[in-house]
Amino acid sequence: SQQGEEDPQALSIQEGENATMNCSYKTSINNLQWYRQNSGRGLVHLILIRSNEREKHSGRLRVTLDTSKKSSSLLITASRAADTASYFCATDGGDSSYKLIFGSGTRLLVRP
Amino acid sequence: EPEVTQTPSHQVTQMGQEVILRCVPISNHLYFYWYRQILGQKVEFLVSFYNNEISEKSEIFDDQFSVERPDGSNFTLKIRSTKLEDSAMYFCASRTSSGGPKNIQYFGAGTRLSVL
């Protein structure tokens, strides 16, 4: 089974609009994280939400977590062209190694 | 700000050759990881390393792969005999210790491995 599937796979919005990306997972988790990847580059950590948290904010980012539905969402408000990137959710699988299991990502394009 | 550094940024090799990908994790971190991302696909876990030994490895991490922390700063991934399907971006990551926000893993910029 797949862990950490995002939807939509691709999202194109106008600068200033909000972007919402969703992630679903299958196993129990300790926490869920969102990462950003610019084309061909490394992964940049955005935000971590623990399994006992429901919502978290960081600047223009808002993350929600529903452990009963095994799903999370990432909202980017007032998007900018510089937000254009791929966004991945990653879960830690709930085991002791804390390895990350990544979803397939959402490619966000913010049009100026 | 401390960061994970990886070298080289791009490695081109012939099939069957050995490659060593190098990483310098953040200095006070204790847990180290290698991931790979085949072009257009998900980031996949390869191996985790703690206290000078492998703590977990994936099915991808077969006998052709090995990891080493030869000194206090470097963390290397060796592929003994590369195959075409090893072509991918390889990411090194590190984190401080277990639990909660300390599970944030910091990633390097990656090494793009091209096997010809």
Side-chain angles (χ1 to χ4, degrees), chain A residues 2 5 35 97-99, chain B residues 33 35 37 42 56 103 105:
Chain A
Q2 296 289 334
E5 296 297 326
Y35 284 83
S97 79
Y98 290 93
K99 67 178 184 290
Chain B
Y33 302 83
Y35 295 83
Q37 184 181 33
K42 291 186 185 187
E56 187 171 350
N103 190 37
Q105 293 184 26

Side-chain angles (χ1 to χ4, degrees), chain A residues 2-5 31 33 35 37 40-43 45 48 50 88 92 95-104, chain B residues 33 35 37 41-43 45 48 55-56 89 91 95 98-101 103-110 112:
Chain A
Q2 296 289 334
Q3 179 88 331
E5 296 297 326
N31 57 63
Q33 304 179 51
Y35 284 83
Q37 183 182 36
R41 305 297 300 275
L43 294 149
H45 180 264
L48 178 151
R50 296 189 229 190
F88 295 89
D92 66 356
D95 61 25
S96 59
S97 79
Y98 290 93
K99 67 178 184 290
L100 293 178
I101 303 170
F102 284 85
S104 46
Chain B
Y33 302 83
Y35 295 83
Q37 184 181 33
Q41 297 187 23
K42 291 186 185 187
V43 176
F45 166 76
S48 58
S55 48
E56 187 171 350
M89 184 77 100
F91 293 106
R95 67 177 174 90
S98 61
N103 190 37
I104 294 172
Q105 293 184 26
Y106 295 86
F107 283 76
R112 181 168 299 285

Side-chain angles (χ1 to χ4, degrees), chain A residues 30-32 48-54 56 65 67, chain B residues 100-101:
Chain A
N30 295 309
N31 57 63
L32 184 145
L48 178 151
I49 186 165
R50 296 189 229 190
S51 59
N52 61 355
E53 296 177 313
R54 292 297 165 256
K56 201 157 181 183
L65 179 65
T67 52

